[in-house]
Amino acid sequence: MTSNLTRTVLKYGVAMMPLLGLVAPAADARERKAEVAPYIETQQVLVADLKDGSDVLTYTSVAAGIDSSIQTRGAEAQVNLRYERRFFYQDNLGDDDVITGLARGGVQIVPNVLTLEAGGLATRSRVDLRGEAPSNTVGNIDNVTQVYSVYAGPNLSTQVGALDVNANYRLGYTKVENKSTGALPPGQLPIDVFDDSVSHSASASVGMQPGDLPFGWSVGGGWEREDGGQLDQRYEGKYVRADVTVPVSPSLALVGGVGYEDIEISERDAVRDVNGVPIVGDDGRLVTDETSPRLLSYDQDGIIWDAGVLWRPSRRTSLEARFGQRYGSETYYGSFGYQPNQNTALNISVYDTVSGFGNLLNDNLANLGTSFSSGRNPLSGELNGCAFGQTGSLCFNDVLQSAASSSFRARGVNGQLTYSTGGWESGLGVGYARRRYFASQLGGVAAVDGLVDENYYANLSLGRELDTYSRFDANVYANLLDSGFAGAPNVLGLGANAAYYRQILPGLQGTAAVGVDSFDQDGFDSEITASALLGLRYDF
């Protein structure tokens, strides 16, 4: 498992691992363990509209899935995958298929030198921050769409004499299905929705650790590109930089770097009618004008720099904090990790990046370790917003706040805390995400250029083994969405659910769950729904 601090060290080539205690355990010391648990389940669900009182929906679901965790001397992987088929009894609702899952893994091709990593995510995203914000996505749900994202690539980390050599490459693909935003506030037009993209990321660095010299150094470079299917959008960024590391004590070092970066984002225009209005296709997306010249929406190049500290007082505590100049303005980023014991882990990250929707999803996947806990909503079966690991916890709320097609500058903070005491297991994820979108003033999505949206979110999960045969779990969530569009009110989403699990026979488990979900938006009818579930699950 790789922490955010370690990834930053590798990304920028700062040769600080021995100094900060970031030495990977020997492969022979790893416990060999493999757990593969396929299962099937059937559920009967009732959903009631508490605001209306007359709208009651019942359906039956049949699901199959697998929960697996593999840890050997040469490989680590975790997979949480579920397919569900929903059978509705109302004539105006067709049956529904839902695929959700999260996976991360790594295989050592050459022990402690070359590793092949991969990850995947299947989940649902909000389409437009101005529309509905449902959590219980059952029935005719607007403003929610299915998202798939995968990536794979090699990581190289070795020594050549006194030199540390690091390199990595990642190929990713992201797809967003077609879905309507539904009703929007008066005067608001739908945004153009992300379709799919292929992304590439590569970096390499060479450097020396402090020792032969009183300081460490590294030089490196990187390249990123994302080609989007919608309006043929293209993001491409390149950088070169040099870093120095000056130890102040065995646990503290000052760091700094300077380099050059060139980022360019462009798109093509949409096909327009005789009045010059962009044409929307049957899938709800703008139709790309393949004959259009490329239209520049973001062009930033010049000197970049940053300076900060790396602090590692023990193997249980690490801090990285940097300040500098990038993307044409000041930038701040860093991370903090604290694990005082096996029952407690705290991870906080501050980020600032220019990216597209697909590339940011791949980045989040890559930052998640190969050992994590990803809970599910017991009523909808879908993944909760956060995945918790001892050193690689993260929340996907920042990237899944909307599926707009345009690239953006994303800044924010994420925090995750896991804590176990007295038989209780808990996880808390909180965060703030801010995006500023880029689009050509001459193109079909000129209205989103310079638009800033914001998302505040929190997820709390609690669980306890009541006895040998039963368990209780509960989840609470909240999010406040500000789309940034003039005249569009904020959207507040709140909800909670609880589930009781009871082993009936070996391998056979019964489930009872209840939940309440709501969202509120000025100018719209607020929505409050209550849900109840009875189900059976068999683990093979």
Side-chain angles (χ1 to χ4, degrees):
M1 186 187 303
T2 307
S3 69
N4 290 335
L5 174 59
T6 308
R7 287 189 176 277
T8 304
V9 170
L10 295 177
K11 178 178 180 181
Y12 293 112
V14 182
M16 287 290 293
M17 290 185 69
L19 177 67
L20 298 177
L22 298 176
V23 181
D28 290 341
R30 297 177 184 171
E31 179 185 358
R32 294 186 176 185
K33 180 173 60 176
E35 298 177 358
V36 180
Y39 64 86
I40 58 173
E41 61 184 356
T42 180
Q43 300 169 332
Q44 187 67 32
V45 186
L46 180 146
V47 182
D49 185 349
L50 298 184
K51 294 285 289 187
D52 189 313
S54 61
D55 189 5
V56 177
L57 169 70
T58 59
Y59 70 94
T60 300
S61 78
V62 177
I66 184 171
D67 294 326
S68 67
S69 176
I70 299 173
Q71 186 178 52
T72 69
R73 293 179 179 178
E76 294 182 351
Q78 185 158 335
V79 177
N80 184 335
L81 180 63
R82 184 177 189 268
Y83 164 76
E84 179 182 357
R85 177 73 172 178
R86 296 171 178 172
F87 301 92
F88 295 99
Y89 304 127
Q90 282 78 353
D91 293 336
N92 63 333
L93 290 177
D95 295 341
D96 194 13
D97 295 292
V98 180
I99 300 175
T100 53
L102 182 61
R104 275 283 283 116
V107 177
Q108 293 193 30
I109 307 301
V110 180
N112 298 320
V113 175
L114 180 62
T115 302
L116 179 63
E117 289 192 4
L121 174 70
T123 187
R124 293 195 174 188
S125 169
R126 187 172 297 106
V127 178
D128 191 322
L129 264 71
R130 297 167 296 170
E132 297 182 1
S135 172
N136 195 345
T137 54
V138 174
N140 288 325
I141 299 298
D142 290 324
N143 205 36
V144 173
T145 185
Q146 184 73 35
V147 177
Y148 304 96
S149 187
V150 294
Y151 89 93
N155 286 327
L156 172 70
S157 180
T158 188
Q159 284 191 304
V160 179
L163 297 177
D164 291 318
V165 178
N166 297 291
N168 66 77
Y169 169 74
R170 185 181 72 211
L171 174 64
Y173 177 75
T174 301
K175 172 64 179 177
V176 172
E177 291 186 349
N178 174 36
K179 188 66 177 179
S180 169
T181 59
L184 292 175
Q188 301 290 325
L189 298 177
I191 62 171
D192 197 33
V193 181
F194 183 95
D195 185 5
D196 67 348
S197 74
V198 176
S199 59
H200 305 266
S201 177
S203 66
S205 66
V206 59
M208 290 181 62
Q209 302 171 7
D212 294 338
L213 298 174
F215 59 89
W217 63 269
S218 72
V219 293
W223 168 74
E224 288 187 330
R225 175 163 171 159
E226 182 174 2
D227 290 282
Q230 185 60 12
L231 296 181
D232 195 17
Q233 298 195 38
R234 179 185 299 164
Y235 163 90
E236 187 164 25
K238 303 177 286 290
Y239 75 88
V240 292
R241 61 178 288 147
D243 286 85
V244 294
T245 303
V246 182
V248 177
S249 72
S251 61
L252 179 67
L254 302 179
V255 296
V258 64
Y260 175 82
E261 184 172 55
D262 184 5
I263 300 177
E264 187 175 292
I265 302 173
S266 62
E267 64 194 61
R268 298 193 190 276
D269 197 5
V271 175
R272 297 175 182 267
D273 62 19
V274 293
N275 297 316
V277 178
I279 295 176
V280 178
D282 294 337
D283 62 354
R285 299 180 174 95
L286 294 177
V287 179
T288 305
D289 183 356
E290 301 294 347
T291 66
S292 163
R294 299 208 69 83
L295 306 175
L296 198 63
S297 57
Y298 181 85
D299 187 11
Q300 180 69 45
D301 68 292
I303 301 298
I304 59 174
W305 64 268
D306 57 60
V309 297
L310 292 173
W311 181 53
R312 181 85 179 196
S314 70
R315 289 182 177 270
R316 300 185 180 276
T317 306
S318 62
L319 170 69
E320 173 191 18
R322 296 193 183 218
F323 162 79
Q325 188 81 14
R326 196 177 184 186
Y327 310 130
S329 66
E330 294 179 346
T331 183
Y332 309 85
Y333 66 92
S335 64
F336 175 74
Y338 178 58
Q339 186 186 348
N341 51 59
Q342 292 183 343
N343 298 324
T344 307
L346 173 65
N347 293 279
I348 301 173
S349 64
V350 178
Y351 61 89
D352 184 0
T353 185
V354 171
S355 180
F357 182 81
N359 214 9
L360 188 58
L361 259 181
N362 288 165
D363 284 342
N364 280 4
L365 276 172
N367 285 334
L368 180 64
T370 54
S371 177
F372 57 85
S373 173
S374 57
R376 291 182 176 272
N377 184 317
L379 295 154
S380 68
E382 297 178 12
L383 294 169
N384 293 328
C386 300
F388 298 99
Q390 289 184 341
T391 60
S393 302
L394 63 88
C395 294
F396 288 94
N397 306 66
D398 58 341
V399 63
L400 298 175
Q401 63 191 40
S402 70
S405 63
S406 300
S407 296
F408 46 81
R409 182 176 181 180
R411 287 185 280 184
V413 57
N414 281 316
Q416 299 89 34
L417 171 67
T418 59
Y419 179 65
S420 301
T421 181
W424 287 94
E425 301 169 357
S426 62
L428 174 65
V430 296
Y432 164 75
R434 179 185 189 272
R435 294 183 187 179
R436 181 181 184 274
Y437 290 92
F438 307 116
S440 171
Q441 286 294 319
L442 303 176
V445 290
V448 305
D449 185 43
L451 184 74
V452 175
D453 66 23
E454 297 175 291
N455 182 19
Y456 305 82
Y457 54 88
N459 296 83
L460 173 65
S461 63
L462 296 170
R464 179 184 174 87
E465 299 286 347
L466 300 179
D467 54 42
T468 306
Y469 303 102
S470 60
R471 178 178 177 83
F472 169 81
D473 286 321
N475 298 279
V476 180
Y477 75 88
N479 54 67
L480 177 63
L481 313 171
D482 180 358
S483 71
F485 280 91
N490 296 344
V491 183
L492 175 65
L494 300 169
N497 56 68
Y500 173 74
Y501 305 95
R502 179 74 180 184
Q503 181 179 330
I504 302 172
L505 296 170
L508 182 63
Q509 174 184 274
T511 303
V514 294
V516 177
D517 299 273
S518 71
F519 70 87
D520 182 75
Q521 184 179 24
D522 291 341
F524 275 70
D525 290 334
S526 60
E527 181 176 293
I528 303 176
T529 60
S531 307
L533 173 149
L534 292 174
L536 291 174
R537 166 170 164 160
Y538 184 77
D539 290 270
F540 294 93

